[in-house]
């Protein structure tokens, strides 16, 4: 196939790709809209400049003028060279304007029109990053949060899934807009909206309590859990320390996958684990999480989903936190597969999961090692695995932790073949 030479003035000076939506700045330079808008968003200093001329530029994309003539030339050239493998470029949609968005926000408060409004806003948010940034700057996240809070108080679930998806799509844009466009007075800081009281968390947990009757509800619950994770990450720690037992029972119930006709998505389960990890160190939350049965369910989850690396790392991280208290270790040891699961996963997943697994074994060996537990560690292969860690090509701190555990009960394990083999290979005569 003959190589096609693209006319230089068809290329965006930033991306060096053929422009799909050429726009001209006040400096007279034409860029692809997506590239220049991303450039403007990334400029964190007060002085925003043109990438080519270095002259001052306004951050507001309203000052970008569509270059229709150049776009038509590019489209004509692409069509003429389609047989040579050049993709045709469709006519871009007009930019979202403030009046259009304000009407959608107004319709959000009307009982007869909010469904249509949400669907249109979802389409706009899905369409482009430009739309998401604009929607974030114009206060759409605040309106969506108020909609979710208001309707949950009224027990209304209609269009909740669309509302939650819009909020998730805009969350990152809201965060970046609030930090990078502070000089321009734009952006939406999410923390004052959701992180300074528990009202929004209560709305999300209300959604999680709904009985799962069909796929629409399970999708809504999955979306709610992802939003809850984002909310917990920015909520004031004092508030997180005051969460009640019911909250943790609800979160723990979402990671239960056995004997369920329909369960949470993998992403939602990971979000639930993140929520528990974030809240665990605060106040009496660790005890509340243990009393909600989390240790037992984490072991079951590790048995049900043994091959997922990131999931295993999250499970072991949370187990390490929960086993730092006596109640957590007691629940761990009450599960017949607890030690065996840690032993089996060690050296099979990642260095991070090895670290957490060995930490749990270290806590058990140091603080909760009855004679029965010590013998169980030997019986299920935990002692053999510790010897393997000592000889494996892994970090020195992991070997030191394994050595400490072996020293704790060396007398009880001294006659074990794996211990004898370790010393024969470690210190040959």
């Amino acid at each position: 196939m003959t190589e096609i030479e693209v006319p230089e003035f068809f290329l965006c000076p930033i991306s060096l790709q053929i422009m799909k939506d050429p726009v001209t700045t006040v400096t007279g330079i034409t860029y692809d809209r997506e590239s220049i808008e991303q450039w403007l968003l990334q400029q964190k200093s007060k002085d925003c400049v043109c990438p080519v001329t270095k002259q001052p530029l306004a951050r507001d994309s309203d000052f970008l003028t569509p270059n229709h003539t150049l776009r038509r030339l590019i489209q004509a050239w692409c069509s003429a060279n389609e047989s040579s493998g050049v993709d045709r470029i469709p006519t871009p949609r007009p930019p979202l304007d403030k009046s259009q968005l304000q009407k959608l926000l107004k319709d959000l408060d009307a009982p007869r029109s909010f469904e249509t409004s949400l669907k249109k806003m979802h389409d706009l948010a899905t369409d482009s990053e430009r739309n998401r940034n604009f929607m974030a700057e114009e206060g759409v996240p605040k309106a969506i949060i108020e909609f979710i809070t208001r309707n949950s108080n009224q027990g209304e679930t209609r269009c909740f899934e669309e509302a939650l998806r819009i909020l998730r799509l805009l969350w990152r844009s809201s965060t970046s807009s609030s930090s990078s466009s502070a000089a321009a007075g734009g952006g939406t800081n999410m923390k004052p909206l959701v992180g300074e009281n528990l009202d929004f968390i209560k709305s999300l947990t209300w959604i999680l309590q709904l009985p799962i009757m069909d796929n629409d509800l399970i999708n809504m619950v999955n979306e709610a859990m992802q939003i809850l994770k984002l909310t917990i990450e920015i909520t004031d720690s004092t508030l997180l320390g005051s969460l009640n037992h019911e909250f943790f029972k609800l979160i723990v119930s979402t990671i239960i996958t056995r004997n369920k006709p329909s369960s949470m998505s993998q992403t939602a389960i990971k979000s639930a684990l993140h929520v528990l990890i974030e809240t665990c160190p605060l106040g009496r939350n660790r005890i509340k999480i243990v009393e909600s049965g989390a240790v037992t369910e984490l072991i079951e989850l590790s048995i049900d989903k043994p091959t997922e690396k990131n999931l295993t790392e999250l499970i072991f991280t949370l187990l390490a936190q929960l086993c730092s208290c006596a109640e957590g270790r007691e629940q761990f040891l009450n599960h017949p597969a607890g030690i065996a699961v840690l032993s089996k996963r060690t050296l099979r997943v990642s260095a991070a999961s090895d670290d957490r697994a060995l930490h749990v074994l270290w806590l058990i060996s140091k603080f909760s090692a009855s004679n029965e537990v010590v013998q169980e560690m030997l019986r299920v292969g935990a002692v053999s695995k510790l010897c393997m860690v000592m000889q494996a090509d892994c970090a020195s701190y992991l070997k030191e932790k394994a050595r400490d555990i072996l020293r704790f009960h060396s007398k009880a394990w001294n006659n074990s073949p794996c211990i004898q083999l370790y010393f024969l290979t470690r210190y040959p005569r």
Side-chain angles (χ1 to χ4, degrees), residues 57-129:
L57 276 183
R59 293 179 185 275
D60 196 336
S61 59
D62 290 344
F63 291 96
L64 301 175
T65 304
N67 193 329
H68 297 299
T69 301
L70 179 57
R71 175 177 55 77
R72 293 190 188 100
L73 287 172
I74 293 173
Q75 287 177 319
W77 181 85
C78 289
S79 297
N81 290 278
E82 189 174 5
S83 59
S84 299
V86 177
D87 294 331
R88 298 184 65 178
I89 294 178
T91 301
R93 298 180 183 180
L96 179 62
D97 63 71
K98 185 176 293 189
S99 60
Q100 179 186 0
L101 196 55
Q102 290 301 322
K103 183 180 184 306
L104 292 174
L105 290 175
K106 185 178 179 180
D107 290 344
L108 196 59
D109 295 326
R112 294 184 178 180
S113 58
F114 74 81
E115 187 170 355
T116 302
S117 176
L118 282 170
K119 288 180 178 178
K120 288 181 178 179
M121 281 195 282
H122 181 263
D123 290 342
L124 289 168
T126 306
D127 186 55
S128 68
E129 186 175 354

Side-chain angles (χ1 to χ4, degrees), residues 64-295:
L64 301 175
T65 304
N67 193 329
H68 297 299
T69 301
L70 179 57
R71 175 177 55 77
R72 293 190 188 100
L73 287 172
I74 293 173
Q75 287 177 319
W77 181 85
C78 289
S79 297
N81 290 278
E82 189 174 5
S83 59
S84 299
V86 177
D87 294 331
R88 298 184 65 178
I89 294 178
T91 301
R93 298 180 183 180
L96 179 62
D97 63 71
K98 185 176 293 189
S99 60
Q100 179 186 0
L101 196 55
Q102 290 301 322
K103 183 180 184 306
L104 292 174
L105 290 175
K106 185 178 179 180
D107 290 344
L108 196 59
D109 295 326
R112 294 184 178 180
S113 58
F114 74 81
E115 187 170 355
T116 302
S117 176
L118 282 170
K119 288 180 178 178
K120 288 181 178 179
M121 281 195 282
H122 181 263
D123 290 342
L124 289 168
T126 306
D127 186 55
S128 68
E129 186 175 354
R130 177 184 68 203
N131 284 352
R132 291 191 290 275
N133 291 333
F134 185 73
M135 293 169 75
E137 291 173 0
E138 292 301 315
V140 174
K142 180 181 179 182
I144 295 295
I145 289 166
E146 290 174 349
F147 172 85
I148 292 171
T149 304
R150 181 175 64 250
N151 283 30
S152 66
N153 290 336
Q154 298 172 357
E156 173 64 70
T157 62
R158 193 157 49 106
C159 294
F160 254 41
E161 185 180 346
E162 285 84 357
L164 291 165
R165 283 181 176 174
I166 293 168
L167 187 58
R168 180 167 55 83
L169 286 167
L170 299 184
W171 196 285
R172 183 178 296 178
S173 297
S174 299
T175 305
S176 61
S177 294
S178 63
S179 59
S180 64
S181 63
T188 300
N189 188 354
M190 296 298 291
K191 187 167 184 176
L193 300 179
V194 301
E196 295 183 352
N197 61 68
L198 295 178
D199 291 344
F200 188 61
I201 291 178
K202 290 177 181 177
S203 296
L204 294 174
T205 52
W206 175 80
I207 297 171
L208 297 177
Q209 294 177 62
L210 296 173
I212 306 300
M213 305 297 292
D214 52 38
N215 287 335
D216 288 340
L217 278 173
I218 190 67
N219 290 337
M220 182 173 67
V221 171
N222 285 330
E223 289 289 341
M225 183 54 75
Q226 293 178 66
I227 295 295
L228 181 60
K229 170 188 174 289
L230 296 171
T231 302
I232 291 293
E233 289 174 348
I234 62 173
T235 298
D236 186 87
S237 59
T238 304
L239 292 174
L240 294 182
S242 65
L243 293 168
N244 59 29
H245 278 85
E246 292 304 315
F247 173 85
F248 293 111
K249 287 179 182 178
L250 187 60
I251 302 303
V252 170
S253 71
T254 62
I255 67 174
I256 300 174
T257 57
R258 63 189 186 282
N259 301 325
K260 278 188 173 183
S262 58
S263 59
M264 305 284 280
S265 68
Q266 191 94 316
T267 301
I269 290 174
K270 290 179 183 178
S271 296
L273 293 174
H274 276 290
V275 168
L276 294 173
I277 290 169
E278 286 282 335
T279 54
C280 185
L282 304 168
R284 288 181 50 81
N285 288 350
R286 183 178 286 110
I287 301 298
K288 295 174 187 175
I289 295 172
V290 172
E291 290 175 348
S292 300
V295 176

